[in-house]
């Protein structure tokens, strides 16, 4: 079985979960399965030690190793995840220079016993060439190194070329991993370097090469000879190097695996600018790599980018190792040489994986997570075989006990979206439901207690709680109190002919309490017809009195009657005398215009609503808002009218009043 290494700048370790296909399950194990990877190297995790969570560290079937920034929050960070069933490192380190210390130790990696070191640390003479000291280079969480018996895996996140203030740090870091890799190869070790290096090799690796050269007045040779690019090209086989090579870099040492499988392929970009929506038009750069030393070149059978996977401003890049590789002129299974000695023989596991053999840098050995499991796994245990399943009757009783009567009635109400005028419906109990309503062919009073659920019942009947056969009626529920809507503030409280408010009368009258429940429930006509016999189905009139009801007809408030506490509506003439009439529609429109945003202008090339952006570049226009075409930038990065890509529309927000289109 092959082994797949994937590198991905995730732009925040949880950022992919906001996109498909990661959004559905939102777990790292599911993400790694979709990537079909056995080793996942992440950059720009943007977390610190205190931000680590169970789901990041305790991923079932995976080990993890982190390098996190010491001081800056939400910045940088590298993580490597390894699938336990396929591979297991024998050593792990944080940092590229070796000056950091292992967890719970005050001894740096460079001062550990030789058998505990990965090796290849930059010498004092090499460190002296760095424009920044080694401790500073390793303080931002930019490198994790794992050693397998077959090779050393280095996962890095190289600094970007943001401004001149970071040039020394950037060049120092590139020099550091160049020296570290060369030293490891000189010791006879194979090396795989992967990650976001923030360097595009040649003009073919970036869409804006011509624009950059024109803007800075550079030619092809000068473009390839910029400091970072020159260092990188001296590092790679086939790199363009003009003039004499630097001392100590006389020979290239690493192969660009993905480019090796796709020589001359244009548009093979791995990063796109999100601010200008450059990804749809593939206006990007190739700055993410999987590199290997020369002795491993023939170990790989495939490599490519996965530009279709969303979740970041970068896309994943992968390389696949063959199932059989040549080690010391002998064909061996890849699993035999990516696990501790004796764990696999001829590709078959002969020794079980144990946490005792994992390196101390493993995230699972962090004190907060040591000897713990993911909380989801704790609840995922399968029930024991001896456990008996509850009977149907017991399940029905449990559901009935969990749902109070008013909640059950509310559920029945919610199952029907149609809303009609409230109809006076008598309280329903198990004894009053007719054989027709129950659908069982016998009165519900003869059924067993606590309502066993039947599959043949209708959705409405199932939703209502059945009372015990010994109870005569459902417990009354107090009507809803308080102001239910803004209109209710302007309405007078309804009253009875005796001068009492309805709420006060409801408190004293049990019959009124039952009617209060009926008014609150407001069942639809379909529900009422299901619960009552045909001859007792209420009419469509807003006032209905059922046979056998204890309510006096005189106690029902007629629509034409008005109590002393409820004023009569004013006639139009009286309303006009009381003051000026304000048109509510006009008033609403005035307030809407006051608080609504101005209409967006339409672009010249496509007549589509523009989008607004804010200038962040330092200068006189910093902070100003402007409108541009909403479409993405095209493959060339140029804005032209008459194309499917972004047109030339540009309008300062201060020059747009929103009154014309």
């Amino acid at each position: 079985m092959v082994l797949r290494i994937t590198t991905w700048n995730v732009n925040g370790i949880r950022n992919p979960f906001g996109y498909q296909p990661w959004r559905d399950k939102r777990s790292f194990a599911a993400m790694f399965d979709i990537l079909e990877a056995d080793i996942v190297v992440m950059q720009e995790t943007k977390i610190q030690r205190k931000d680590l969570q169970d789901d990041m560290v305790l991923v079932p079937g995976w080990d993890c190793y982190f390098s996190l920034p010491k001081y800056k929050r939400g910045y940088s960070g590298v993580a490597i995840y390894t699938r336990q069933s396929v591979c297991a490192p024998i050593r792990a380190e944080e940092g590229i220079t070796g000056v950091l210390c292992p967890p719970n130790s005050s001894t740096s990696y460079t001062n550990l016993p030789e058998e505990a070191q990965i090796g290849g640390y930059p010498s004092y003479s090499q460190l002296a060439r760095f424009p920044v000291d080694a401790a500073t280079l390793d303080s931002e969480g930019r490198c994790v190194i794992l050693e397998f018996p077959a090779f050393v895996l280095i996962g890095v996140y190289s600094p970007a070329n943001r401004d001149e203030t970071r040039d020394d740090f950037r060049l120092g870091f590139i020099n550091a991993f160049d020296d570290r890799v060369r030293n490891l190869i000189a010791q006879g070790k194979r090396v795989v370097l992967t990650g976001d290096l923030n360097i595009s090799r040649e003009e073919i690796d970036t869409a804006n090469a011509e624009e950059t050269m024109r803007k800075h007045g550079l030619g092809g040779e000068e473009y390839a000879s910029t400091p970072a690019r020159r260092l990188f090209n001296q590092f790679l086989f086939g790199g363009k190097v003009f003039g004499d090579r630097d001392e100590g870099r006389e020979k290239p040492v690493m192969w660009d695996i993905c480019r090796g499988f796709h020589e001359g392929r244009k548009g093979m970009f791995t990063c796109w600018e999100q601010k200008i929506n450059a990804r749809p038009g593939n206006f990007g750069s190739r700055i993410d790599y999987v590199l290997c030393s020369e002795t491993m070149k023939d170990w790989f059978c495939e490599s490519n980018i996965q530009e279709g996977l969303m979740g970041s401003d970068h896309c994943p890049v992968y390389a696949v190792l063959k199932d059989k590789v040549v080690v010391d002129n002998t064909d061996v299974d890849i699993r035999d040489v990516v696990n501790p000695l004796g764990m696999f023989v001829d590709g078959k596991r002969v020794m079980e994986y144990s946490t005792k053999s994992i390196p101390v840098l493993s995230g699972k050995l962090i004190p907060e997570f040591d000897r713990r499991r993911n909380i989801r796994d704790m609840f995922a245990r399968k029930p024991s075989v001896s456990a008996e399943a509850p009977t149907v009757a017991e399940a029905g009783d449990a559901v009935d006990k969990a749902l109070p009567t008013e909640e059950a009635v509310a559920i029945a109400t919610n199952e029907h979206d149609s809303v009609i005028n409230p109809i006076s419906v008598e309280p329903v109990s198990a004894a009053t439901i007719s054989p027709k309503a129950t659908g069982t062919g016998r009165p519900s009073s003869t059924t067993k207690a606590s309502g066993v659920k039947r599959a043949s019942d209708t959705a409405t009947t199932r939703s209502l709680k059945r009372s015990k056969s010994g109870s005569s009626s459902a417990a009354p529920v107090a009507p809803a109190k308080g102001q239910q809507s803004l209109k209710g503030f302007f309405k007078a409280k309804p009253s009875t002919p005796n001068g009492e408010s309805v709420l006060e009368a409801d408190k004293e009258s049990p019959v009124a309490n039952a009617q209060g429940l009926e008014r609150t429930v407001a069942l639809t006509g379909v529900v009422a017809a299901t619960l009552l016999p045909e001859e007792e189905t209420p009419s469509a009139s807003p006032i209905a009195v059922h046979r056998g009801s204890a309510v006096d007809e005189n106690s029902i408030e007629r629509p034409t009657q008005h109590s002393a506490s409820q004023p009569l509506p004013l006639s139009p003439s009286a309303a006009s005398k009381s003051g000026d009439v304000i048109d509510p529609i006009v008033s609403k429109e005035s307030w809407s215009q006051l608080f609504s945003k101005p209409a967006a202008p339409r672009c010249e090339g496509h007549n589509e609503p523009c989008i607004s952006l804010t200038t962040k570049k330092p200068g006189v226009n910093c902070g100003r808002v402007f409108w541009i075409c909403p479409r993405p930038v095209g493959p060339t990065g140029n804005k032209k009218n008459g194309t499917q890509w972004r047109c030339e529309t540009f309008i300062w927000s201060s020059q747009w009043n929103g009154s014309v289109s």
Side-chain angles (χ1 to χ4, degrees):
M1 184 175 180
V2 296
L3 183 144
R4 182 163 172 159
I5 301 173
T6 297
T7 178
W8 192 14
N9 182 321
V10 292
N11 194 24
I13 194 167
R14 292 195 184 276
N15 188 53
F17 295 141
Y19 300 81
Q20 289 291 4
W22 331 105
R23 183 187 296 154
D24 293 337
K25 295 186 177 179
R26 302 181 69 87
S27 72
F28 290 95
M31 176 195 293
F32 302 153
D33 289 342
I34 293 174
L35 289 172
E36 298 179 340
D38 302 302
I39 299 176
V40 180
V41 184
M42 291 183 175
Q43 301 88 43
E44 253 191 304
T45 56
K46 294 185 177 182
I47 57 172
Q48 289 182 300
R49 165 76 175 271
K50 61 183 180 62
D51 301 318
L52 291 174
Q53 302 292 330
D54 284 6
D55 63 331
M56 300 178 192
V57 179
L58 305 177
V59 182
W62 290 80
D63 281 331
C64 54
Y65 304 86
F66 296 94
S67 179
L68 306 175
K70 302 296 185 293
Y71 309 109
K72 292 187 178 181
R73 182 179 180 181
Y75 180 79
S76 189
V78 173
I80 299 182
Y81 288 84
T82 59
R83 192 186 295 269
Q84 295 170 355
S85 62
V86 177
C87 58
I90 55 177
R91 297 181 188 89
E93 293 183 4
E94 177 186 7
I96 191 67
T97 64
V99 300
L100 298 181
C101 301
N104 305 318
S105 174
S106 58
T107 304
S108 65
Y109 290 109
T110 56
N111 294 324
L112 290 176
E114 187 173 347
E115 62 274 9
Q117 295 180 348
I118 292 179
Y121 309 107
S123 63
Y124 288 109
S125 60
Q126 290 173 330
L127 290 173
R129 295 186 307 180
F130 298 170
V132 180
D133 64 277
T136 302
L137 290 176
D138 280 339
S139 66
E140 295 187 356
R142 293 185 175 273
C143 180
V144 174
I145 305 178
L146 303 183
E147 183 175 8
F148 302 89
F151 58 87
V152 175
L153 174 68
I154 304 177
V156 298
Y157 172 49
S158 182
N161 185 22
R162 299 298 182 190
D163 54 68
E164 296 179 357
T165 61
R166 295 278 290 176
D167 283 351
D168 287 346
F169 187 94
R170 184 174 187 236
L171 292 176
F173 191 86
I174 297 172
N175 274 285
F177 75 67
D178 180 279
D179 290 337
R180 185 74 184 268
V181 169
R182 290 180 182 274
N183 293 346
L184 286 168
I185 293 175
Q187 292 179 1
K189 295 188 177 183
R190 305 175 190 86
V191 180
V192 174
L193 176 70
T194 181
D196 177 5
L197 303 185
N198 269 309
I199 306 172
S200 54
R201 285 184 58 182
E202 304 172 6
E203 294 90 334
I204 194 176
D205 294 308
T206 179
N208 66 341
E210 294 182 2
E211 176 66 19
T212 301
M213 289 189 287
R214 184 190 62 79
K215 183 177 180 180
H216 295 89
L218 302 176
E221 181 177 338
E222 295 171 319
Y223 177 81
S225 299
T226 54
R229 190 169 289 109
R230 175 178 170 83
L231 283 173
F232 191 47
N233 279 322
Q234 292 183 91
F235 189 61
L236 298 175
F237 286 97
K240 289 184 179 180
V241 180
F242 295 92
D244 295 335
R245 287 178 170 267
D246 298 342
E247 183 181 354
R249 300 185 175 93
E250 290 80 9
K251 294 182 179 180
V253 291
M254 300 293 281
W255 283 95
D256 184 352
I257 303 173
C258 196
R259 178 57 74 189
F261 280 95
H262 304 277
E263 293 184 10
R265 174 179 167 185
K266 296 182 179 180
M268 192 171 63
F269 304 139
T270 64
C271 178
W272 302 267
E273 182 66 46
Q274 286 184 318
K275 294 179 182 178
I276 61 174
N277 195 17
R279 190 163 187 170
N282 196 26
F283 182 72
S285 301
R286 187 173 77 97
I287 58 178
D288 302 88
Y289 300 87
V290 181
L291 313 175
C292 73
S293 54
E294 185 177 13
T295 54
M296 290 185 64
K297 178 184 177 183
D298 297 331
W299 286 22
F300 291 88
C301 61
E302 182 187 359
S303 181
N304 208 338
I305 65 173
Q306 295 178 281
E307 69 275 21
L309 288 177
M310 309 300 289
S312 171
D313 55 340
H314 293 245
C315 75
V317 181
Y318 70 89
V320 180
L321 287 155
K322 300 176 182 177
D323 56 348
K324 296 285 186 179
V325 296
V326 178
V327 179
D328 298 331
N329 298 322
T330 304
D331 289 343
V332 297
D333 193 283
I334 187 63
R335 296 196 182 192
D336 296 355
V337 291
V338 292
N339 286 279
L341 185 64
M343 185 171 288
F344 278 83
V345 175
D346 295 332
K348 297 181 180 179
R349 182 181 291 276
V350 296
M351 186 172 63
E352 289 299 322
Y353 175 85
S354 173
T355 55
K356 296 180 180 179
S357 60
I358 63 176
V360 294
L361 189 64
S362 172
K364 293 190 174 181
L365 298 183
I366 297 175
E368 300 95 301
F369 306 98
D370 189 15
R371 299 181 182 180
R372 287 186 51 219
R373 293 182 299 164
N374 192 318
I375 192 170
R376 293 182 179 178
D377 298 338
M378 297 170 62
F379 292 96
R381 295 177 59 186
K382 296 181 180 180
S384 59
V385 180
S386 60
E388 295 181 1
T391 62
V392 177
E394 291 173 349
D397 292 342
V399 173
D400 283 347
K401 291 178 182 178
L403 282 175
T405 304
E406 57 268 28
E407 290 182 11
V409 176
I411 293 173
T413 307
N414 291 334
E415 289 182 355
H416 298 272
D417 295 334
S418 58
V419 179
I420 62 172
N421 293 330
I423 301 175
S424 179
V425 182
E426 293 183 359
V428 180
S429 66
T432 60
I433 299 178
S434 68
K436 263 184 194 179
T438 59
T440 60
R442 59 179 182 277
S444 60
S445 59
T446 63
T447 60
K448 292 184 180 181
S450 196
V452 177
K453 304 298 182 286
R454 293 177 175 83
S456 61
D457 291 347
T458 63
T460 305
T461 309
R462 284 199 311 268
S463 301
L464 292 172
K465 175 186 174 185
R466 298 176 184 173
S467 305
K468 301 285 185 179
S469 57
S471 60
S472 59
S473 63
V477 180
K481 297 181 180 180
Q483 181 182 323
Q484 300 301 316
S485 66
L486 184 61
K487 293 181 179 179
F489 178 79
F490 299 98
K491 291 184 178 180
K493 295 181 180 179
S495 60
T496 63
N498 298 330
E500 295 179 310
S501 67
V502 174
L503 293 179
E504 293 175 354
D506 287 348
K507 293 178 182 177
E508 300 176 359
S509 172
V511 176
N513 285 338
Q515 292 176 342
L517 170 62
E518 298 156 10
R519 290 193 299 270
T520 305
V521 173
L523 294 174
T524 64
V526 177
V527 179
T530 307
L531 296 179
L532 297 177
E534 293 179 359
E535 63 271 11
E536 293 184 8
T537 303
S539 64
S541 172
I543 301 176
V545 180
H546 302 291
R547 265 178 271 167
S549 173
V551 182
D552 187 2
E553 201 168 357
N554 295 327
S555 66
I556 301 176
E557 187 177 350
R558 304 291 181 182
T560 56
Q561 295 177 352
H562 295 277
S563 63
S565 61
Q566 183 175 3
L568 292 170
L570 295 176
S571 63
S573 59
S576 61
K577 292 179 182 178
S578 62
D580 296 335
V581 177
I582 299 176
D583 189 345
I585 299 178
V586 175
S587 177
K588 180 180 179 181
E589 290 179 352
S590 337
W591 284 103
S592 300
Q593 293 176 0
L594 180 63
F595 292 105
S596 62
K597 295 181 180 179
R602 292 185 173 271
C603 66
E604 301 172 358
H606 315 98
N607 196 30
E608 297 177 358
C610 293
I611 57 173
S612 63
L613 299 175
T614 303
T615 306
K616 295 185 178 180
K617 184 177 180 180
V620 294
N621 291 323
C622 184
R624 293 188 66 183
V625 180
F626 58 92
W627 299 92
I628 60 172
C629 176
R631 296 202 177 188
V633 174
T636 62
N638 298 325
K639 303 171 185 177
K640 294 182 180 179
N641 292 335
T643 66
Q644 60 176 325
W645 307 110
R646 180 169 293 175
C647 63
E648 299 175 348
T649 302
F650 181 91
I651 305 172
W652 287 112
S653 180
S654 57
Q655 299 173 356
W656 173 254
N657 56 17
S659 59
V660 294
S661 60

